[in-house]
Amino acid sequence: MLVELKDRLTQAIRDMKNSTVVDESVVNECLNEITRALLRGDVPFHLVKELVNNVKKSANLNNLPS
């Protein structure tokens, strides 16, 4: 199960890294993939939600190109 989780997380980051422009939709898609992977890996929902909220705060999505 951990290998599958690692592969899904790696793929989500790789997809975002390979985007020509990292905008809000790319970040949201990456976070959605990470969320799905973590929930499939039995990570508690409240921890996943906290992680997503912290990433969004840190990424400052309002300052990304539209």
Side-chain angles (χ1 to χ4, degrees), residues 36-54:
R36 285 191 284 274
L38 292 173
L39 291 175
R40 285 184 192 139
D42 293 330
V43 175
F45 177 77
H46 72 279
L47 293 177
V48 174
K49 184 176 178 180
E50 184 178 336
L51 171 76
V52 170
N53 288 337
N54 288 338

Side-chain angles (χ1 to χ4, degrees), residues 1-65:
M1 180 183 297
L2 289 177
V3 172
E4 182 181 344
L5 177 60
K6 178 192 91 66
D7 291 343
R8 290 181 183 272
L9 293 174
T10 301
Q11 186 61 44
I13 300 295
R14 187 177 297 130
D15 289 346
M16 184 172 72
K17 183 179 136 189
N18 291 337
S19 295
T20 55
V21 175
V22 177
D23 59 6
E24 185 174 355
S25 67
V26 172
V27 172
N28 285 333
E29 181 59 34
C30 181
L31 287 174
N32 288 340
E33 289 296 323
I34 291 171
T35 297
R36 285 191 284 274
L38 292 173
L39 291 175
R40 285 184 192 139
D42 293 330
V43 175
F45 177 77
H46 72 279
L47 293 177
V48 174
K49 184 176 178 180
E50 184 178 336
L51 171 76
V52 170
N53 288 337
N54 288 338
V55 169
K56 285 184 177 183
K57 284 180 195 173
S58 296
N60 200 6
L61 296 177
N62 295 329
N63 289 337
L64 291 176

